[in-house]
Amino acid sequence: MEHYSFNVVDFGFDTTVGIQINEERKRTGHGNKNAYKKGIIKALFKSRNNKCTVTADGQVINPDGRLLLSTIANGEYVGGSFHCAPRAKIDDGLMEVCLVKPISIFRFFKILFPYANGEHLDRNDMRDVIIYKQAKKVEVSAPEGFAYSLDGEIIYNNQFTIEILPRTLQFACPK
């Protein structure tokens, strides 16, 4: 089955948070800040060392098959406020591939705000945990039960390919 994303496909830590929020919505009928906080706490313990291999334009970018999270972005933001892809240009025909390697809880909190503010690609103190490249095609291979988020929708699939479709959508904008 084909799916289409306009903005961001992400997996790992972020998807665990999203799954928790969805579970809270099913249970209570709505999501809230507490669901988000519960999702972060759950992900801190369950999803800091995710197993999957990411290949961008034929190059395996995480040969150890591990990651904290990864975003494959056409737009700049994920989750409303996280500036995950500050170099993204929605019309350049390239996706921004950002992978964060597994890290300790202490390091997670140290890099959280620079990541949220879009400073992660330019900081020397984050170069050892950030893998970044632009690509036209990304392939992901993971164990059974793997989930990813496609513009916020949770999808379970352990093998998937993300490709850019340049100049596919046209918009009319007022002057």
Side-chain angles (χ1 to χ4, degrees):
M1 178 177 207
E2 290 187 2
H3 300 277
Y4 296 91
S5 168
F6 181 73
N7 190 42
V8 176
V9 175
D10 60 325
F11 42 94
F13 187 92
D14 297 356
T15 300
T16 300
V17 174
I19 290 169
Q20 180 66 37
I21 291 169
N22 287 348
E23 288 174 0
E24 185 78 11
R25 280 187 185 132
K26 286 179 189 171
R27 194 175 61 72
T28 64
H30 59 84
N32 56 36
K33 288 183 182 182
N34 286 336
Y36 183 71
K37 289 175 187 175
K38 286 180 189 176
I40 289 175
I41 291 167
K42 183 175 184 178
L44 279 171
F45 292 101
K46 182 182 177 189
S47 194
R48 284 193 348 263
N49 190 2
N50 300 285
K51 296 177 185 176
C52 75
T53 302
V54 180
T55 305
D57 287 341
Q59 175 191 3
V60 175
I61 64 171
N62 66 331
D64 66 351
R66 307 238 180 233
L67 57 83
L68 170 73
L69 63 87
S70 184
T71 56
I72 317 300
N74 196 33
E76 291 185 44
Y77 291 88
V78 68
S81 63
F82 283 85
H83 202 180
C84 66
R87 298 181 185 155
K89 293 184 175 102
I90 203 152
D91 62 353
D92 67 356
L94 296 168
M95 298 177 289
E96 311 300 302
V97 182
C98 184
L99 185 143
V100 180
K101 296 177 183 178
I103 54 177
S104 68
I105 291 175
F106 175 77
R107 186 90 187 263
F108 174 86
F109 285 110
K110 188 175 178 182
I111 72 168
L112 178 62
F113 292 107
Y115 179 84
N117 294 328
E119 301 165 3
H120 55 291
L121 301 181
D122 297 319
R123 290 184 53 136
N124 288 330
D125 63 338
M126 294 177 70
R127 292 194 197 282
D128 64 324
V129 295
I130 302 286
I131 298 169
Y132 168 82
K133 74 177 293 167
Q134 294 179 312
K136 292 184 179 203
K137 181 178 181 180
V138 176
E139 298 165 283
V140 178
S141 178
E144 287 294 324
F146 191 78
Y148 65 95
S149 175
L150 184 129
D151 288 341
E153 178 184 353
I154 305 297
I155 299 171
Y156 289 86
N157 195 339
N158 66 314
Q159 302 273 337
F160 55 97
T161 300
I162 307 156
E163 293 182 89
I164 194 82
L165 300 173
R167 305 193 187 281
T168 302
L169 295 176
Q170 295 181 5
F171 292 91
C173 298
K175 289 183 180 181

